[in-house]
Amino acid sequence: MLAMGWFTMGAGLLPGRERLRGRGEVVVLAGYGFLAAFGYGTAMNLAGWPFMGALASSVAFDPQAAVPANVARFVAYCLATSLGWDLGRAIVTVVLTLTLGPALLKALRRATRRAAFETPVTFGGPPG
């Protein structure tokens, strides 16, 4: 849940979205979704890869190996175990963002306008 929260928060923090409206905004969100799908998969792989055990395979984390060797093992692990899932997740994210994105953004903007309200603030001593 933490990894998903990081990547969904990133969509809301994309710079320049305020200036983009319509198709441009949806394309930026779809591009971010494509990259974030691979980032999410990598973060999820990193959560379990060190605990596989060195005897499991030649792509497992080896505490005795140097950093470049472990990075190469991790890349091989990601390619071997989750590239298909990550690529599928990325494609589905792009397709759904391009098809449903405009309607969802419109509905969210309408809800934001309706929920916006201000409460008068008064400064002073206690009533009475």
Side-chain angles (χ1 to χ4, degrees):
M1 287 183 357
L2 188 59
M4 182 58 74
W6 287 340
F7 290 104
T8 54
M9 177 185 65
L13 295 177
L14 284 174
R17 278 192 43 233
E18 298 81 23
R19 290 173 279 165
L20 291 174
R21 292 288 184 189
R23 196 73 176 151
E25 182 181 21
V26 174
V27 169
V28 167
L29 287 172
Y32 174 78
F34 184 82
L35 296 175
F38 288 101
Y40 174 75
T42 303
M44 294 305 293
N45 285 340
L46 193 56
W49 172 70
F51 307 108
M52 278 180 43
L55 299 176
S57 71
S58 62
V59 296
F61 174 73
D62 183 7
Q64 306 300 322
V67 172
N70 272 324
V71 169
R73 288 170 173 256
F74 181 67
V75 169
Y77 174 76
C78 288
L79 292 174
T81 61
S82 68
L83 180 63
W85 291 103
D86 295 342
L87 185 60
R89 183 184 309 113
I91 291 170
V92 168
T93 299
V94 168
V95 169
L96 288 176
T97 302
L98 292 176
T99 56
L100 301 177
L104 287 172
L105 287 171
K106 185 177 177 182
L108 289 171
R109 286 196 176 98
R110 184 176 59 240
T112 301
R113 282 192 307 272
R114 288 185 174 200
F117 62 91
E118 292 185 25
T119 305
V121 177
T122 55
F123 296 98

